[in-house]
Amino acid sequence: MSPIGTAAGRSPIAAGERVLVTGGAGFIGSHLCECLLAQGCEVLALDNLSSGHTQNLAPLLSHPRFRFMRADVCASPPPQAEGVQRIFNLACPASPAQYQRMPVQTVLTSALGVWQMLELAQRSGARLLQASTSEVYGDALQHPQREEDWGHVNPLGPRACYDEGKRCAEAMLLAYARQYGTTVRIARLFNTYGPRLQPGDGRVVSNFIRQALQGEDLTLYGDGHQTRSFCYVDDTVRGLWLLMESGHEGPVNLGNPVECSMRELAERVLAITGSRSRLVHRPLPQDDPRRRRPDIARAAQWLGWRPEIGLDEGLARTVAEFRARAGALRSPSGPT
Ligand code: UDP
């Protein structure tokens, strides 16, 4: 990946600066580590592997400026993390199916994990970026979602462990900024997708692609008219970097404002894969947001950021990587 300039056209992180990425073995985290190494940073990736996979980091493990540490973000950080200059806090299960299977760990990761990272940022004089989420808007009353929107979250429902956990994290970041002057950044991510999504993670893009490639029915929850706005991972990672290096605390929405219904997504996946799978309806999960689309005026104005990869191109790249991974698993020598 080529170096990324800031809105002003320069990259303020000096080559060799030490950057911690929690959730570094996860889907977005592994792409971020790759980008940071390309910028010349020394990268420490921390992950407890509850939803991340070291396989995501396979190409980086031998890199001289990369180090992986298996540790839980809720525990005291390993000594190697002391003195870092930047912290990207991405650790948290993000698929509804996964986080609802481990709601206690999910809420603790957001509350305790963020607290640990804020304390580390204080001790180290580091800047901390929190990966927050469009879920803070819940089943939004305003459309599209703007950062000023306070959200419409069910605090007692099955998604609350994630939604309220992330809202608590945002509140804690701003509490530290106000009380102790900690330098923080808040990014609200909208449905990131791309290569290295886990085929079994239960998210809609992973499910549809896996089902289409295996000739299974595509499972459309509810009537399929609910919408999401899918952002390709390279665009998300570029936005995270730009926000970290900007002079803005946020929150900033990072998402692709092109809205798509789940039925339309299923049809696009069928077209791109050439699959003859059928669509079958399954019950809509409780509290499933009906519509989701980011207003990205802030990201455009503050960061000069907008997504560059359209849905069809992003899906085609993702499908190609799913196919390659399946092929590698089938080959007699196994994954490479
Ligand atoms: N969904 C679906 N089929 C699936 C998985 C998900 O129709 O196999 C729907 C889900 O009900 C939601 C949307 O796709 O409306 C996005 O779900 P996902 O779990 O990917 O993320 P969310 O945006 O809900 O966190």
Side-chain angles (χ1 to χ4, degrees):
M1 193 178 289
S2 60
I4 298 168
T6 61
R10 288 179 296 111
S11 301
I13 290 189
E17 275 201 279
R18 298 178 67 226
V19 183
L20 175 66
V21 179
T22 77
F27 159 55
I28 301 178
S30 63
H31 284 275
L32 178 63
C33 289
E34 218 173 325
C35 165
L36 291 167
L37 287 170
Q39 309 292 314
C41 302
E42 186 184 327
V43 179
L44 305 171
L46 183 141
D47 204 300
N48 69 356
L49 302 181
S50 66
S51 58
H53 298 266
T54 46
Q55 190 59 32
N56 287 337
L57 297 172
L60 310 184
L61 289 173
S62 59
H63 195 292
R65 282 185 280 106
F66 181 75
R67 178 161 192 171
F68 173 68
M69 298 171 292
R70 182 169 185 176
D72 196 312
V73 71
C74 297
S76 295
Q80 300 91 321
E82 299 295 329
V84 292
Q85 283 118 337
R86 297 281 189 273
I87 303 169
F88 287 89
N89 190 35
L90 272 59
C92 194
S95 156
Q98 283 178 342
Y99 67 64
Q100 290 177 35
R101 268 198 299 273
M102 41 178 163
V104 174
Q105 287 82 353
T106 299
V107 80
L108 285 177
T109 298
S110 284
L112 273 184
V114 173
W115 175 69
Q116 288 284 10
M117 289 305 118
L118 279 161
E119 286 290 311
L120 175 65
Q122 275 293 100
R123 288 196 298 277
S124 306
R127 187 179 287 192
L128 170 63
L129 182 146
Q130 171 66 16
S132 188
T133 169
S134 57
E135 284 284 326
V136 301
Y137 302 114
D139 195 6
L141 299 175
Q142 320 270 357
H143 195 75
Q145 288 78 60
R146 303 176 62 218
E147 290 88 347
E148 291 85 358
D149 183 353
W150 288 3
H152 182 230
V153 168
N154 175 358
L156 306 176
R159 298 175 87 100
C161 57
Y162 187 73
D163 302 6
E164 296 289 16
K166 293 283 189 178
R167 286 162 68 97
C168 170
E170 289 195 9
M172 204 177 333
L173 256 75
L174 292 181
Y176 266 73
R178 289 189 183 110
Q179 194 168 334
Y180 304 124
T182 318
T183 308
V184 299
R185 302 283 181 263
I186 298 172
R188 292 181 177 160
L189 310 186
F190 284 65
N191 291 77
T192 307
Y193 74 101
R196 297 195 202 127
L197 273 174
Q198 289 302 310
D201 78 4
R203 283 188 269 202
V204 68
V205 173
S206 346
N207 273 5
F208 284 178
I209 294 179
R210 185 191 59 75
Q211 290 160 345
L213 293 180
Q214 295 182 347
E216 294 175 13
D217 295 340
L218 269 57
T219 50
L220 205 48
Y221 298 167
D223 60 12
H225 294 315
Q226 72 273 31
T227 67
R228 295 292 185 272
S229 299
F230 296 98
C231 191
Y232 190 69
V233 65
D234 288 1
D235 284 325
T236 302
V237 163
R238 186 167 42 85
L240 291 173
W241 165 268
L242 289 173
L243 176 59
M244 177 65 106
E245 296 312 314
S246 78
H248 298 280
E249 201 164 64
V252 175
N253 289 337
L254 292 178
N256 191 323
V258 178
E259 192 177 348
C260 172
S261 75
M262 294 312 100
R263 174 171 288 279
E264 187 190 339
L265 178 73
E267 282 159 4
R268 285 182 186 225
V269 169
L270 290 180
I272 288 166
T273 53
S275 166
R276 295 216 209 126
S277 292
R278 295 172 311 147
L279 306 187
V280 291
H281 288 275
R282 294 281 178 267
L284 189 68
Q286 188 189 331
D287 298 336
D288 198 275
R290 279 162 298 174
R291 301 186 71 187
R292 196 180 279 161
R293 171 155 64 97
D295 179 318
I296 60 164
R298 236 184 224 190
Q301 193 189 339
W302 287 357
L303 314 178
W305 179 89
R306 62 183 66 256
E308 290 172 358
I309 309 292
L311 187 55
D312 281 336
E313 184 183 346
L315 285 175
R317 292 186 194 183
T318 311
V319 166
E321 194 262 352
F322 270 54
R323 280 199 165 116
R325 234 186 307 169
L329 284 173
R330 274 197 305 272
S331 83
S333 54
T336 51

